[in-house]
């Protein structure tokens, strides 16, 4: 399941090169309509702050659906300050009222308690989530829905993508690749794919404290489940009722 800006193009390239099974259909970033018990489902995830940095940097390069939507709707000025504008941009995209500017299906009532990156992840990882999201009026409702509908067999972290992909190749997917040794060599040697040219600059910019608190609040599900040791999150979570 191709979660944007998390290394999914790298995984796609790997599967095209080494999968022993034929490609039956292709629709990038599409959701699954049902779960087939015979299939192995996996998805990528990425630390939310770095994911937003990457998304912003992609926009600085003039790329990405979020940048194109914001430009079309008259908000291209959010990128005018270059790397120094990251906190201002992040504050804007975290504001619930701006949710429809980011995606037609990401609505303000849902965005009031759940961030874009969590929404993107769960729309792929939990069956029916995109359609159900408008009815989920709280984080607790989201958590309960995901508990009942999550269908991923593995989650690959972008920060350890080579190691995580190697693990599934040697285990769950060992019979679905043409050659495990050659596949492992490809994973270890192939450069990263589709990297933003501006990402290094964006990483240099500190995030304002109140914006980071907004980020932790909106994306707490991803942090709690995958990045509980992220800098500042444990302290923020201890100060809030979860």
């Amino acid at each position: 399941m191709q979660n944007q800006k998390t290394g999914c193009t790298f995984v796609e390239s790997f599967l095209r090169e080494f999968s022993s099974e034929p490609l039956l259909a292709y629709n990038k970033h599409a959701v699954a309509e049902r779960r087939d018990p015979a299939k192995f489902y996996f998805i990528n995830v990425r630390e939310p702050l770095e994911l937003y940095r990457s998304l912003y940097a992609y926009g600085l390069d003039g790329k990405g659906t979020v940048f194109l939507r914001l430009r079309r709707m008259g908000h291209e000025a959010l990128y005018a300050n270059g790397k120094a504008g990251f906190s201002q941009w992040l504050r804007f995209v975290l504001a619930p009222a701006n949710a429809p500017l980011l995606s037609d299906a990401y609505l303000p009532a849902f965005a009031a308690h759940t961030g874009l990156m969590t929404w993107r992840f769960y729309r792929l990882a939990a069956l029916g989530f995109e359609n159900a999201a408008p009815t989920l009026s709280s984080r607790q409702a989201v958590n309960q829905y995901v508990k009942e509908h999550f269908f991923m067999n593995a989650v690959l972290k972008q920060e350890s993508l080579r190691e995580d992909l190697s693990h599934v190749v040697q285990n769950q997917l060992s019979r679905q690749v043409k050659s495990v040794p050659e596949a492992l060599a490809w994973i270890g040697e192939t450069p990263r794919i589709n990297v933003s040219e501006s990402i290094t600059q964006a990483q240099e910019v500190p995030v304002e404290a109140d914006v980071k608190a907004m980020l932790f609040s909106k994306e707490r599900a991803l942090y709690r489940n995958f990045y509980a040791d992220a800098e500042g999150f444990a302290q923020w979570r201890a100060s809030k009722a979860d």
Side-chain angles (χ1 to χ4, degrees):
M1 309 304 293
Q2 293 190 281
N3 189 17
Q4 300 174 59
K5 304 300 292 176
T6 63
C8 63
T9 304
F10 184 89
V11 176
E12 177 190 330
S13 298
F14 167 80
L15 292 173
R16 289 181 181 273
E17 181 73 20
F18 289 100
S19 176
S20 61
E21 299 182 350
L23 178 63
L24 301 179
Y26 179 74
N27 187 354
K28 194 168 188 176
H29 308 311
V31 301
E33 297 181 356
R34 65 185 181 90
R35 179 186 184 277
D36 182 346
K39 295 187 183 298
F40 178 80
Y41 295 90
F42 62 111
I43 189 172
N44 292 8
V45 71
R46 186 173 183 177
E47 194 271 319
L49 178 57
E50 293 309 309
L51 189 45
Y52 278 113
R53 288 189 195 276
S54 180
L55 187 61
Y56 180 69
Y58 210 43
L60 292 180
D61 293 341
K63 301 176 182 178
T65 56
V66 168
F67 168 76
L68 294 175
R69 287 176 66 94
L70 290 175
R71 183 177 66 179
R72 185 171 69 248
M73 297 176 189
H75 297 285
E76 188 174 3
L78 288 167
Y79 298 88
N81 291 332
K83 64 179 184 179
F86 176 62
S87 276
Q88 178 187 5
W89 174 90
L90 184 55
R91 188 189 301 277
F92 182 91
V93 301
L94 289 172
N98 298 325
L101 300 177
L102 310 177
S103 173
D104 291 342
Y106 183 53
L107 303 179
F110 183 83
H113 55 77
T114 302
L116 177 67
M117 299 313 172
T118 300
W119 179 81
R120 279 185 171 183
F121 179 79
Y122 282 144
R123 70 178 287 271
L124 297 172
L127 281 174
F129 185 84
E130 185 170 353
N131 291 331
T135 71
L136 303 175
S137 59
S138 67
R139 286 187 295 269
Q140 292 74 20
V142 171
N143 294 340
Q144 184 61 38
Y145 184 92
V146 170
K147 182 178 179 180
E148 296 172 358
H149 296 89
F150 190 84
F151 70 109
M152 294 298 101
N153 299 112
V155 177
L156 314 184
K157 296 175 72 170
Q158 190 268 355
E159 296 80 5
S160 55
L161 182 56
R162 297 180 195 274
E163 295 87 345
D164 293 352
L165 183 57
S166 295
H167 177 79
V168 298
V169 164
Q170 294 175 88
N171 293 279
Q172 300 99 319
L173 296 181
S174 61
R175 295 184 179 182
Q176 282 75 41
V177 297
K178 298 172 184 177
S179 167
V180 170
E182 292 180 11
L184 294 176
W186 187 97
I187 293 170
E189 298 169 3
T190 300
R192 293 173 62 191
I193 298 172
N194 202 26
V195 180
S196 169
E197 296 174 4
S198 298
I199 187 60
T200 301
Q201 290 185 341
Q203 287 174 331
E204 297 172 356
V205 181
V207 180
E208 295 170 10
D210 67 318
V211 177
K212 198 166 187 178
M214 291 170 60
L215 171 72
F216 287 151
S217 179
K218 299 285 287 293
E219 309 291 358
R220 69 174 69 189
L222 292 185
Y223 276 106
R224 185 177 62 244
N225 291 322
F226 303 107
Y227 298 98
D229 59 349
E231 182 180 357
F233 177 70
Q235 295 90 327
W236 174 86
R237 187 179 180 186
S239 69
K240 304 291 181 181
D242 195 61

